[in-house]
Amino acid sequence: MRIPLGARTHAGTSALLVVLTVVACLLVAGLPRTMQASFDEALRRSLSGAEAVRADLTVAGAPVLPAGELHSRAQFEGGDLHWRRLLPAALRPLIGSGGHISAKTHRTPVNETGDIRSFVNLGWLSDADRRVQWVRGRAPGAPSTMRYGGQTIPVIEVGVVAEAVTRMGLDVGRTRLLGESVHTAVKIVGVFEPRDPADRAWSHDADLLHVTRVLPADAPEELHITALMPDEGLGALANKARTLTYHWVLPLDGRAASALDVPAVEAAVAEFQRQVDVQGTGATSYRLVTGLPQLLAGFLAVLSSAQTVMYLVLGGLFAVGLGVIVLGVRLLTDRMERTLALARARGASLRQVVSAGAALTALTVGPAALAGYALSFLLPGPVLPVVHLGPAAVAVVAVGFAAARLVLTHRAPLREHRADLVAARPSARRVTVEALVVVLALAGAYLLRARGPSGTAQQDPFLLLIPVALTVAAALVTLRCYPYPLRLLVRLAARGRAAVPFLGLTRAARERSAGALPVLILLPALSLSVFAAVVHDGISTTQRLASWQKVGAPIKLTSVGNLPAAAVERVRRAPGVEQVALALTGRVQIGETGEWPYAVAVDLAQWRRVNEGAPISLPTLSGSTSALLSPALGGRGAFELRWLSPVRLTSQGVIDAVPGFYSSGQFLLVPWEVLPWPAANALLIKGDIPPAELARLVPSATVETQEAALAAIQADPLTGTVRTTMVVVTVALGAYALVAIVLSLVAGAAGRARSVALLRTLGLSDREARRLTLLELLPVVLVTAPVGVALGMGLPAALGPGVDMSAFAGGLPVADHTPGLLRPVALAAGLGLCAVLGAYVHTTMTRRRKLDAALRVGDP
């Protein structure tokens, strides 16, 4: 057999196989790249969005002896170079060239008495000239000395923020004596403010920008601030009081992170921590301070859930695509069967026949696989091993299947065989294996539900295998039970007078063995497409619920202090505002226990009107002296609440969260009536008013909207990738299911056309021919479609406890997998419509065939 001649003879079938192969290779090589690119982007956003104090690597040193003290910038910069040299290779690309060094004291008291204790710590920043600007006074200069208690003590010039001037009385020109046993004086010479308050580096040095208020349980109130001193002050900075620490901040550059390198980065951080620990001497101790391992562990947990779901659907997509290609290869080998059988009868060896058929298949599939592989490089993302292995696997399986089928078909010259037997008794071994697969699949699904999530960030093979086992079990049960309703229909049709139902169902029964492969393709295609659609809908629904839980209303306006009545009235009268509910939040004290939970007082009736039609339900309080407590507060009876004024309340029950306010920790919800006078620091608003307009009406307030919260949840790269992948997989699997129906129709087209033409010589009309073809095709769709749809709708419930998708839904568990009937019905209806259209097209094409040719061609 000449290969080019065979390619021209079967050009139509070859073209179809080429298209299927290109699409399959593009999906199997391109989707993993896109998926991995989204993983990398999610990691970069996670690291870049985290506080610098958590993501950066900070080496903290504490001098124990005077020999370990550093008194010059050059000594600190030498330490920075030393720590960078110790960085493992996996960390060096992630550490930026910036960073800064600091030296600070902590809990340095002001030597004076009063009801409030003041602490002024000394701080030096290596990049202060770049990060701060002086708005009053001047920048600090060289230190001086003064006499105190018969000793000469240093006087260090410092600057503070305006908040320290207001709250602690540290005005420009004043001198404060610090320390109790070891004294140092500071002179405030200037007031500074940050050049860029949004600079991430300030999270390391927030103590310089804000006064910290501390309420000890058995001591007076404390106010803490860190003052900024110049380089010259380092010479006078000693650790005699053991309150001095040094910090070398090595900034993390999240833009260079890759999800594939996370395990190596985790190991490198652990190694760097070990290196830092062993650098300590008798004069100085060192330790590594970072939250990077926790950030990476949290990301890996989310990544594991995303990979599990997407590898599951992508693996199913690959298997279905491969099955459709195998169905196309079978169609091609069927078309070559007469030619190869004739060559075999004329003396060609089995090797020659198989080589010819496999070569034609390779000539068709090989270039198409390369084309799909090349097209995948147009998509963004790193090149993973599956990018190379996927297209190669498609080509190898296609050629291997063609060779195996030709070997079985042409083992002997002109070997007679029949594939249209109505029933064939399976062997006991086969029945046992199939029963074992079904039992193991059901047992695995039960164990998965009983076990729940694996609790690790690694891929769970158990979770990946159970859906495959359930699909295989459902396919085996379907194939084993398929003959029984078909036989019943044949018997019922045999009792009627019409010949078309009997003939159509009889042909369907005789082609049952040839329909096994389409069933094995249709079932996973339908089940996984429905599964993807259900999961997508569940995530979307939960995302919307999470956005409402986060904001608590269509619009929420909050203020640090109480809102003036005039501001509330301006909001009420603003154009577009329909409803406004007042709320007051604050820290309260429970008299009997001394606990300090957070409280929310809100007009619940008005809040319900604001949230009319929202997916969240609001709690109900039975009286004006009732309260709902968080689980952290536990159950209790009557108790005294000290807020604006003491009030006696009765616990009505436990509430898990107050939407828009609190969802963890100690909190309670009380009715608006417990307030002794109207006060509000939060407004819950319903209406069509731009957030910018509300911010203009109340400049000191913060405005949140439910729509913005939903957009923020959906903007996460991992979340967007999961939802997009689900949509792509649903569409692709639905298309593959339709292709499987078309291929099964085309595979039997020749024999069906011959039978219809012969029956037309006996008086079969065109309408009856269409019904005959339709009755032959429909059993596969009518039996497989309900099973596939039911399995797809049941998979989320079976896998739900094992897959934590809360990271993609705003932190809420995706527990609602109640699917809409639109997509499953549309998929099943599409298959049925495809079968109907195929029957009409096939009948139209066979109408052109001459009846006298039908009598002369074919088997007698």
Side-chain angles (χ1 to χ4, degrees):
M1 176 181 176
R2 290 182 293 176
I3 306 302
L5 179 60
R8 289 196 301 269
T9 304
H10 307 291
T13 306
S14 299
L16 176 62
L17 192 54
V18 166
V19 172
L20 293 176
T21 305
V22 169
V23 173
C25 292
L26 175 60
L27 291 176
V28 74
L31 285 180
R33 291 189 63 182
T34 306
M35 184 175 65
Q36 190 61 47
S38 70
F39 293 163
D40 294 342
E41 179 63 22
L43 175 60
R44 291 162 189 162
R45 286 198 186 185
S46 174
L47 296 179
S48 301
E51 288 187 328
V53 71
R54 294 188 63 200
D56 294 344
L57 302 179
T58 302
V59 179
V64 180
L65 300 176
E69 296 176 357
L70 305 179
H71 297 292
S72 68
R73 173 183 285 269
Q75 290 177 308
F76 282 101
E77 290 177 348
D80 182 73
L81 292 175
H82 175 68
W83 299 125
R84 289 180 181 273
R85 290 193 194 102
L86 290 179
L87 285 171
L91 274 177
R92 289 175 184 171
L94 299 179
I95 300 302
S97 58
H100 68 278
I101 312 166
S102 66
K104 297 178 183 178
T105 64
H106 57 93
R107 294 197 62 83
T108 307
V110 177
N111 194 355
E112 60 185 22
T113 59
D115 295 336
I116 299 177
R117 297 190 65 192
S118 296
F119 293 81
V120 178
N121 303 312
L122 298 174
W124 169 78
L125 299 180
S126 62
D127 56 350
D129 56 341
R130 180 183 60 83
R131 294 169 58 189
V132 305
Q133 59 185 359
W134 300 94
V135 294
R136 284 179 52 194
R138 61 177 175 84
S144 59
T145 59
M146 65 176 287
R147 297 288 296 179
Y148 177 78
Q151 297 179 344
T152 301
I153 63 174
V155 180
I156 303 175
E157 293 188 354
V158 297
V160 295
V161 291
E163 185 180 343
V165 176
T166 304
R167 298 184 60 183
M168 300 178 65
L170 301 177
D171 206 352
V172 175
R174 305 195 65 174
T175 300
R176 288 287 187 270
L177 189 65
L178 306 182
E180 295 175 342
S181 58
V182 179
H183 299 290
T184 301
V186 294
K187 182 179 181 181
I188 294 91
V189 298
V191 177
F192 69 88
E193 64 181 19
R195 293 182 185 271
D196 181 12
D199 187 352
R200 296 179 69 246
W202 282 116
S203 66
H204 291 279
D205 306 301
D207 53 332
L208 276 86
L209 301 183
H210 300 287
V211 176
T212 303
R213 179 172 176 244
V214 179
L215 294 173
D218 53 355
E221 177 183 348
E222 299 176 358
L223 295 178
H224 295 251
I225 190 63
T226 298
L228 184 62
M229 67 179 188
D231 293 0
E232 295 84 352
L234 290 173
L237 200 59
N239 196 34
K240 296 178 181 179
R242 300 292 187 268
T243 62
L244 179 61
T245 57
Y246 307 140
H247 297 90
W248 289 266
V249 177
L250 306 179
L252 188 77
D253 185 5
R255 296 171 298 177
S258 171
L260 295 173
D261 298 334
V262 168
V265 172
E266 285 185 314
V269 171
E271 173 61 20
F272 185 56
Q273 185 169 12
R274 189 188 67 81
Q275 292 282 357
V276 170
D277 292 341
V278 301
Q279 295 299 311
T281 63
T284 310
S285 62
Y286 297 101
R287 62 190 178 92
L288 180 64
V289 180
T290 181
L292 183 58
Q294 290 76 19
L295 289 174
L296 295 178
F299 172 77
L300 284 179
V302 177
L303 179 64
S304 177
S305 297
Q307 287 178 330
T308 298
V309 174
M310 289 196 284
Y311 285 161
L312 175 62
V313 295
L314 289 179
L317 177 61
F318 174 66
V320 171
L322 201 59
V324 173
I325 291 174
V326 167
L327 197 59
V329 171
R330 192 186 77 171
L331 177 61
L332 180 61
T333 56
D334 286 346
R335 296 293 171 87
M336 294 188 294
E337 183 174 354
R338 283 177 177 267
T339 304
L340 295 178
L342 181 59
R344 187 84 168 100
R346 290 178 175 179
S349 65
L350 180 61
R351 182 182 62 82
Q352 290 175 319
V353 170
V354 172
S355 299
L360 179 58
T361 306
L363 181 64
T364 304
V365 174
L370 287 175
Y373 172 74
L375 288 174
S376 69
F377 283 85
L378 298 177
L379 300 176
V383 180
L384 304 174
V386 70
V387 175
H388 308 301
L389 298 177
V394 170
V396 169
V397 169
V399 176
F401 176 80
R405 195 162 194 275
L406 291 173
V407 168
L408 294 176
T409 305
H410 302 284
R411 284 176 295 181
L414 296 179
R415 175 174 172 266
E416 294 291 338
H417 62 279
R418 293 187 63 185
D420 61 345
L421 296 177
V422 177
R425 185 179 298 275
S427 64
R429 181 179 300 176
R430 180 175 177 180
V431 172
T432 303
V433 171
E434 292 178 356
L436 181 62
V437 170
V438 173
V439 172
L440 290 177
L442 295 176
Y446 172 78
L447 292 175
L448 183 62
R449 287 193 60 85
R451 188 202 65 178
S454 62
T456 65
Q458 302 297 324
Q459 285 297 306
D460 187 0
F462 188 69
L463 187 59
L464 294 174
L465 290 175
I466 292 305
V468 177
L470 287 173
T471 305
V472 172
L476 292 176
V477 172
T478 302
L479 287 175
R480 191 59 58 199
C481 298
Y482 177 70
Y484 300 107
L486 205 54
R487 291 177 188 174
L488 179 61
L489 291 176
V490 170
R491 291 182 180 179
L492 292 177
R495 296 180 180 179
R497 292 185 176 182
V500 170
F502 174 75
L503 292 174
L505 294 174
T506 301
R507 280 190 56 82
R510 289 186 174 181
E511 296 292 335
R512 182 176 63 85
S513 60
L517 187 56
V519 169
L520 292 175
I521 296 171
L522 283 175
L523 190 65
L526 273 174
S527 60
L528 286 175
S529 60
V530 173
F531 168 75
V534 171
V535 171
H536 178 270
D537 289 344
I539 291 177
S540 299
T541 302
T542 310
Q543 284 176 341
R544 183 168 178 267
L545 178 62
S547 66
W548 279 95
Q549 288 281 11
K550 184 179 185 301
V551 181
I555 306 173
K556 183 176 72 173
L557 184 148
T558 57
S559 175
V560 176
N562 288 348
L563 292 167
V568 176
E569 193 61 26
R570 284 199 303 270
V571 172
R572 288 185 188 275
R573 297 182 178 218
V577 174
E578 300 176 16
Q579 300 283 344
V580 176
L582 304 181
L584 180 66
T585 64
R587 200 78 179 265
V588 299
Q589 186 181 30
I590 296 179
E592 290 80 359
T593 62
E595 295 170 289
W596 287 85
Y598 291 93
V600 180
V602 63
D603 186 345
L604 285 172
Q606 186 64 31
W607 195 6
R608 287 192 184 88
R609 287 191 285 270
V610 169
N611 282 6
E612 186 177 2
I616 58 174
S617 58
L618 298 177
T620 301
L621 291 172
S622 58
S624 60
T625 59
S626 300
L628 291 169
L629 282 65
S630 68
L633 286 174
R636 63 189 71 197
F639 61 94
E640 183 185 42
L641 182 71
R642 298 172 184 173
W643 198 358
L644 300 181
S645 64
V647 61
R648 196 76 180 171
L649 298 176
T650 303
S651 174
Q652 182 179 315
V654 176
I655 184 174
D656 294 328
V658 180
F661 295 98
Y662 306 109
S663 59
S664 62
Q666 293 185 331
F667 60 87
L668 66 158
L669 177 67
V670 298
W672 181 257
E673 290 77 13
V674 305
L675 300 178
W677 60 83
N681 56 12
L683 301 180
L684 304 168
I685 304 168
K686 177 183 180 180
D688 185 16
I689 180 172
E693 177 64 17
L694 287 174
R696 187 189 65 80
L697 294 174
V698 189
S700 61
T702 302
V703 181
E704 300 176 77
T705 66
Q706 178 268 329
E707 293 180 353
L710 179 60
I713 295 173
Q714 294 176 343
D716 179 74
L718 276 183
T719 302
T721 300
V722 169
R723 298 178 74 237
T724 303
T725 302
M726 293 300 177
V727 173
V728 172
V729 168
T730 301
V731 174
L733 287 172
Y736 273 133
L738 294 178
V739 171
I741 289 291
V742 173
L743 287 178
S744 63
L745 177 67
V746 174
R752 190 179 306 109
R754 183 170 57 251
S755 300
V756 170
L758 289 171
L759 290 172
R760 287 180 64 194
T761 63
L762 302 177
L764 189 72
S765 65
D766 290 341
R767 182 178 180 182
E768 290 173 329
R770 286 193 293 267
R771 290 175 56 196
L772 180 67
T773 305
L774 188 61
L775 286 172
E776 183 182 343
L777 296 176
L778 277 183
V780 174
V781 177
L782 293 179
V783 173
T784 308
V787 177
V789 170
L791 180 60
M793 295 172 68
L795 274 178
L799 303 181
V803 182
D804 182 13
M805 289 183 288
S806 60
F808 317 126
L812 294 183
V814 183
D816 184 13
H817 292 299
T818 305
L821 295 179
L822 178 60
R823 292 189 185 181
V825 170
L827 288 170
L831 294 181
L833 180 62
C834 184
V836 172
L837 291 177
Y840 274 82
V841 171
H842 180 267
T843 306
T844 303
M845 294 177 64
T846 56
R847 188 184 305 167
R848 302 175 183 176
R849 189 166 185 170
K850 295 181 180 181
L851 299 184
D852 55 350
L855 294 174
R856 294 195 304 267
V857 177
D859 297 331

